[in-house]
Amino acid sequence: MEARRRTATKPLHAVEPTKRISVVEDTAKASDALPLPLYLTNAVFFTLFFSVVYFLLSRWREKIRASVPLHVVTFSEIVAIFALVASLIYLLGFFGIDFVQSLILRPSGDVWSAEDEENEVLLRKEDARTVPCGQALDGPLPSLPPREPSVTSQKLFDEKSVRVTTEEDARKVPCGQAVDCLLPPLPPRIPVVTTQKLLDEKPVIVATDEDEEIITSVLSGTVPSYSLESKLGDCKRAAAIRREALQRLTGKSLSGLPLDGFDYDSILGQCCEMPVGYVQIPVGIAGPLLLNGREFSVPMATTEGCLVASTNRGCKAIHLSGGATSILLKDGMTRAPVVRFSTAKRAADLKLYLEDPDNFDTLAVVFNRSSRFGRLQGIKCAIAGKNLYLRFTCSTGDAMGMNMVSKGVQNVLDFLQTDFADMDVIGISGNFCSDKKPAAVNWIEGRGKSVVCEAIIKGDVVKKVLKTSVESLVQLNMLKNLTGSAMAGALGGFNSHASNIVTAIYIATGQDPAQNVESSHCITMMEAVNDGKDLHASVTMPSIEVGTVGGGTQLASQSACLNLLGVKGASKEVGGTNSRMLATIVAGAVLAGELSIMSALATGDLVKSHMKYNRSSKDVSKISS
């Protein structure tokens, strides 16, 4: 009889048994001790569990609304708590500790073995029939010589060699030694090798025979690709299998997309689903940027030539002129649900209620329960017929805060249902926020961090570093950034290329790149000062949406860039300090970028520099072949 055996990680040694075990054993089931059939018992405890949970949640909700302490309980609540504990203990016992651990701990790589405990019993029964008379079933196992593991070496750039070992469970034991030793010798498994080239990267072993089975299952649709991480318990292995299945399915090679050298566990459940590799984006450093008396080396992740060099030139001009000053004007993330009533009068009633200062404290208490950092700052309402848009603004500490404000808004909506039972919540976001879309409300009211940054660039610095004149910059800014943008009907786009700098810093520091839409809202102002000798330049950015905790900020590369700026993680002193500092750095870098590109435009050097630094000298036809 053939059966799959789990691979051994250590050589086996002779073991003296201390107890004889019968092969066929008639054991009683634990469920036989129950007074009711198993399915009825399960139904009773399931019903009891969910009933008491609903009862307790209802009671606690009433206490919260009535401002009654939660620890003051009645007799019925005490009974409900005991019933909850009892039913929970039963359900945990029924499902088993192994099941509970499987939800907390990741399953091992053997979860794909189709034959488990059932096959072990069948194997023992089959082996029992082949044991000669008089041979002890529990005899000692013979010592097996240690097997040499198969080793492959992989080098990724300048990393150390990684050893990948596979143990084959191919026992060659004479018949009759012991029950577990009667399997025929298994042939060594030959790994299935696919070649992945990453510059000078050597071939990598991606799959074994077991992985080949999984790839086939993914291609046939029996195993969903998105479930590989949970089933395998190994995120990198799941990515490798998904990658190979994708290549076979599409017939397209992913040889240029690196797989190794990335921590796939760090993105599970928070940053990216169904990964097959990662994209490499070079990170350049602009600076030092002298801002508010401190120097910052600004990391910029980009594939656009000249961008880092240009921003670096702007930083030099600012530094030689004594530095820039950046001021935070406002800090508040927004979320705007849309609700509907049967009449416009009812919608107006809610608008008046929410904007009444006497009700703000009550609403703030309800909102602030969602987080120890989220604090309601205000509610602005807009009505359209019988539809009402509620724009909540709150502080969010060092987090960008979208999830935080959304939870607080949900608390308020639940609270309002008591007095406005006819209110129909259409959506938690009604686009009056407005997130990842150009909107006048963000340009006027602001969203996230509102920052203004200014610097006075000395006349000789303008000539020697920026290679232009104060008069040329002032004239170009008026005709391009102000008049030209107005002619185009721009919304928050009264600048030269603020989004270039914003996006590069966002990618480097783990921000949401899509939020560069409103974060790049910027008006650049330039005017001559000190009798026309010097240049006063400023950028005003009302919607910089950044955070230093959560999302992509906790990934290793992005966290390193935040650490370079001195704003990694949450501030240990005052909540929100790091994220506000990051917003001012973004504004300062944008000012540097605006100074440099405007100077290049004024002198006509923009095209020349891009031809020199933003065009590859490699033969593209040879690369593609």
Side-chain angles (χ1 to χ4, degrees), residues 56 93 100 189 218 257 265-266 327 332 344 364 368 473 557:
L56 289 174
V100 176
R189 295 186 299 178
V218 172
L257 184 69
D265 290 325
S266 65
I327 304 100
N368 296 345
L473 286 175
S557 302

Side-chain angles (χ1 to χ4, degrees), residues 83-126:
L84 175 66
V85 173
S87 59
L88 181 61
I89 292 173
Y90 171 81
L91 292 176
L92 287 178
F94 172 73
F95 284 108
I97 299 301
D98 290 339
F99 176 80
V100 176
Q101 288 178 343
S102 70
L103 297 178
I104 303 173
L105 304 176
R106 300 189 183 280
S108 68
D110 294 328
V111 297
W112 289 99
S113 178
E115 303 84 13
D116 202 356
E117 300 298 333
E118 208 171 302
N119 283 352
E120 292 289 340
V121 176
L122 293 175
L123 179 64
R124 291 180 179 273
K125 290 181 180 180
E126 182 70 18

Side-chain angles (χ1 to χ4, degrees), residues 397-415:
D398 283 307
M400 185 271 288
M402 284 298 298
N403 292 333
M404 192 183 300
V405 65
S406 296
K407 288 191 293 183
V409 168
Q410 188 62 57
N411 286 348
V412 174
L413 291 177
D414 293 340
F415 173 79

Side-chain angles (χ1 to χ4, degrees), residues 22-74:
S22 176
V23 176
V24 180
E25 195 172 309
D26 186 13
T27 58
K29 298 180 180 179
S31 60
D32 294 342
L34 296 174
L36 295 175
L38 183 60
Y39 73 94
L40 288 179
T41 307
N42 289 342
V44 169
F45 277 96
F46 265 111
T47 304
L48 179 62
F49 177 78
F50 288 109
S51 298
V52 296
V53 167
Y54 177 78
F55 172 75
L56 289 174
L57 289 177
S58 300
R59 292 290 300 159
W60 290 340
R61 181 179 180 183
E62 293 174 2
K63 287 183 177 182
I64 291 173
R65 289 181 174 177
S67 299
V68 177
L70 295 179
H71 64 273
V72 178
V73 294
T74 62

Side-chain angles (χ1 to χ4, degrees), residues 353-394:
Y353 174 84
L354 293 174
E355 294 180 346
D356 187 346
D358 294 337
N359 298 325
F360 179 80
D361 290 341
T362 302
L363 296 172
V365 170
V366 176
F367 184 98
N368 296 345
R369 289 176 188 157
S370 62
S371 169
R372 58 195 178 104
F373 295 107
R375 293 294 177 264
L376 183 64
Q377 296 175 344
I379 306 174
K380 182 179 180 65
C381 300
I383 192 169
K386 59 182 182 179
N387 304 306
L388 185 64
Y389 297 83
L390 325 172
R391 193 172 192 260
F392 291 78
T393 305
C394 80

Side-chain angles (χ1 to χ4, degrees), residues 3-32:
R4 181 175 304 151
R5 307 290 297 168
R6 289 188 174 88
T7 56
T9 57
K10 296 181 181 178
L12 294 175
H13 301 283
V15 180
E16 283 296 332
T18 57
K19 182 180 178 181
R20 295 168 105 40
I21 302 174
S22 176
V23 176
V24 180
E25 195 172 309
D26 186 13
T27 58
K29 298 180 180 179
S31 60
D32 294 342

Side-chain angles (χ1 to χ4, degrees), residues 411-424:
N411 286 348
V412 174
L413 291 177
D414 293 340
F415 173 79
L416 292 175
Q417 290 282 2
T418 303
D419 294 327
F420 297 88
D422 56 337
M423 179 181 70
D424 184 14

